[in-house]
Amino acid sequence: MITAIDPTYDTVIREVMPADQDEIERILSRAEQAYQSWRKTDFSARAEVLNAVAHRLREDRARLAYLMTEEMGKPVKEAYGEIEKAAWCAEHYAAHAESYLSRDEISSDASLSYVQYLPLGPIMGILPWNAPFWLAFRFCAPVLMAGNTCVMKHDPHVPGCAQAIAQLFGDAGAPSAILQNLPLRNEDAESVIRDDRIRGISFTGSDKAGATVAAIAASEIKPAVLELGGSDPNIVLADADLAKAAEIIALSRIINAGQSCIAAKRIIVEAPVHDAFVALLKERLSGYKLGDPREQSTDVGPLARDDLRQGLHRQVQDTIKAGATCLLGGDMPDGPGFFYPVTLLTDVTSDMAAGCEETFGPVAVVMKARDADHAIEIANDTRYGLGAAVWTETRRGEAIAREIIAGQVSVNGIVKTDPRLPSGGVRRSGYGRELGPQGIHEFVNAQQIWIGPAKAL
């Protein structure tokens, strides 16, 4: 049984039967059949569907937002924002997919030669719980607009969200089976990845699970995009706007209770401004309200699962035992629910748990750097390479960005995902790109066309 637990009260709220082998077969068969007609539709017809789904998202945003709040604890005011962002993603690809996939003419010895971008077939999306709607649309909008169909294996902890996403397409009048929800236990995913009807895999999750998925996909010679974990550095140099940096970094650290791959994790501060910045950061973090995510006044809700909370607390305690200073939070709260307080650790080094592991929760980690070169060295002292930020004078920040090993770097701003721009990582943070023109090219056949006769020499 797939079970959803409300992390605010630690109560079972929903149970869904996982798909058996017969249902898996039906879903994959329908995905293949739907692909045969969907791939022949033009961009305008595909865009009409995506725009209709975006309209349904906005019309039903109150119910859909509440599903996130009850299944994974997202504060309702953030959940509303996620629904809007998912609708934006659908509309963006509806508007721009045709230009992103326009053919590229390339001069050669042919009379005419070019590359055209054709769909591959049914694509499997293996999705996490932390942004159930946004990550689903980040996967499906470009895949569908490219002419593929989608089989969505969502996280078992958000079955209500998964069902609602699939229903949106039906309610919007989309062609049958272009996107289907596959309620699957994690241990049953391998057989679907290996199925010949699945032509590619999009995976978002931990680096450990990503390595397993990548190995299976590679053994079947299937393309995959992996967006994995991060221990994202935010460098604050002495010439930064400290107040603004503290404001944005604090916000980045507590969005979704800190359960974000691209959240600010390791805050690396140049020594001359370290103490002043820490004071500003503590003031900002102290102002966030921990509480029931159903209340509009709540800034930080519970963590999604108790095992995540226990793991985060272990990281905090191990880091303190290793010599870090806890200026805020750090104590496991009493009472129901999987709450963890906003926590600030300073005097952290790269050999401590919170300095080298991904912290998936509202824990801000401050590390001191001697100078800019040392800050870059600390930033790159990680096995991850997802997002990063630099706070300094603009031109200097651009130069430093080239030295940081990460797929995405923001200069004097928050690290975020945007349908217009590619997102992804290097090292243990994955490979391939989501979003932007690069994202839609991940699951297409870049087919070379050569038309004779050959040009005379």
Side-chain angles (χ1 to χ4, degrees), residues 298-369:
T298 293
D299 300 306
V300 184
L303 300 189
R305 304 195 310 264
D306 193 44
D307 63 306
L308 298 173
R309 181 173 70 152
Q310 297 296 335
L312 183 68
H313 189 57
R314 186 270 305 167
Q315 291 173 313
V316 169
Q317 293 303 305
D318 286 353
T319 303
I320 293 170
K321 289 176 184 176
T325 302
C326 184
L327 297 182
L328 194 67
D331 295 319
M332 186 78 82
D334 296 326
F338 309 145
F339 292 93
Y340 200 81
V342 177
T343 297
L344 175 59
L345 302 176
T346 61
D347 304 313
V348 177
T349 57
S350 296
D351 57 345
M352 298 178 183
C356 62
E357 300 173 8
E358 180 177 30
T359 50
F360 222 58
V363 176
V365 171
V366 179
M367 310 170 83
K368 185 184 291 188

Side-chain angles (χ1 to χ4, degrees), residues 155-350:
D155 190 276
H157 296 90
V158 289
C161 293
Q163 289 175 333
I165 292 164
Q167 186 61 45
L168 281 167
F169 282 79
D171 293 344
S176 176
I178 63 167
L179 180 140
Q180 297 178 87
N181 174 38
L182 178 57
L184 204 63
R185 294 170 298 199
N186 291 338
E187 58 266 29
D188 295 328
E190 180 173 350
S191 64
V192 180
I193 296 172
R194 293 189 183 280
D195 192 283
D196 286 344
R197 288 163 292 193
I198 294 296
R199 313 291 164 76
I201 311 297
S202 177
F203 175 86
T204 302
S206 71
D207 60 322
K208 180 179 179 181
T212 300
V213 169
I216 298 168
S219 73
E220 299 292 337
I221 322 297
K222 294 182 180 181
V225 170
L226 307 179
E227 205 263 41
L228 309 178
S231 184
D232 302 49
N234 274 231
I235 294 174
V236 181
L237 298 181
D239 59 353
D241 181 337
L242 297 185
K244 188 65 175 179
E247 174 191 353
I248 299 302
I249 289 172
L251 176 64
S252 174
R253 183 61 275 189
I254 65 90
I255 289 175
N256 203 29
Q259 299 167 119
S260 170
C261 295
I262 57 171
K265 307 248 181 27
R266 295 176 299 134
I267 306 159
I268 304 163
V269 186
E270 195 172 7
V273 295
H274 175 274
D275 293 352
F277 178 81
V278 167
L280 289 168
L281 184 63
K282 181 181 179 183
E283 181 182 4
R284 283 286 180 179
L285 292 172
S286 299
Y288 289 115
K289 179 185 175 183
L290 180 71
D292 190 327
R294 292 163 178 81
E295 297 178 2
Q296 284 287 339
S297 60
T298 293
D299 300 306
V300 184
L303 300 189
R305 304 195 310 264
D306 193 44
D307 63 306
L308 298 173
R309 181 173 70 152
Q310 297 296 335
L312 183 68
H313 189 57
R314 186 270 305 167
Q315 291 173 313
V316 169
Q317 293 303 305
D318 286 353
T319 303
I320 293 170
K321 289 176 184 176
T325 302
C326 184
L327 297 182
L328 194 67
D331 295 319
M332 186 78 82
D334 296 326
F338 309 145
F339 292 93
Y340 200 81
V342 177
T343 297
L344 175 59
L345 302 176
T346 61
D347 304 313
V348 177
T349 57
S350 296

